[in-house]
Amino acid sequence: MNSWKNIQLQDSASPIMEQLTFFHDHTLLILTIITILVGQLMINLLSNKMTNRLLLEGQSIEIIWTVLPALTLIFIAIPSLRLIYIMDEINSPSISIKSIGHQWYWSYEYSDFKNIEFDSYMVPVTEMKPFNFRLIDVDNRMIIPFKSQIRMLISSTDVIHSWTIPSLGVKMDATPGRLNQSSFLINRPGLFFGQCSEICGANHSFMPIVVESISPNHFIKWMINY
């Protein structure tokens, strides 16, 4: 969960988010090196009073400033492409859950085991309990087992929404008439919060997402007792 003092990425709770964090740090390091190098060259250019009026061309320096940016882009592109393929690959999901966006709430369907369907509304401030989080808690949380491959099927009934949970590295548009899919695996039990990340109308800020990760045994009991 994000907080007022968190100025970095949220703590990862899935392998995908761990890889996204590594790629973020990798790219940020390269950008820092480029910024320092270009800044140093500009400072030297402005502070250096020496000129060479006979210098008309320099094949060596032109080759260097062409090859170096190409190598830099390769060092960024290869991890990025690898991560894209990892995120798109879905291998034998344990559970498939359908999430449908509405103005302005989410509904969930568990169709693998038995017909479990429920709506998930934000808990109003007037009905909050002491353990609720303001504006990001819901009345019915999406329950899933940890260390299980989850496939999310995401769609919408009215306008474009976006099902997003930052700590899981999941962000997928919910588009009317289209069924998008994404997959993730949660490493540990806990509560993971997200929100709709596509401006969808007046109450766009009031349709949060809460995923509760529990053990597989407790998940089976929850399914039986639902």
Side-chain angles (χ1 to χ4, degrees), residues 22-33 75-76 79-80:
F22 293 152
F23 177 68
H24 169 269
D25 296 341
H26 168 78
T27 308
L28 192 61
L29 178 62
I30 293 177
L31 292 177
T32 302
I33 295 173
F75 278 110
I76 295 176
S80 176

Side-chain angles (χ1 to χ4, degrees), residues 25-59:
D25 296 341
H26 168 78
T27 308
L28 192 61
L29 178 62
I30 293 177
L31 292 177
T32 302
I33 295 173
I34 293 173
T35 303
I36 294 174
L37 178 61
V38 173
Q40 181 66 30
L41 291 175
M42 292 183 66
I43 292 173
N44 288 339
L45 183 64
L46 294 174
S47 61
N48 192 351
K49 302 299 183 182
M50 295 183 292
T51 59
N52 187 351
R53 61 186 180 86
L54 300 178
L55 181 62
L56 300 179
E57 63 178 19
Q59 296 293 336

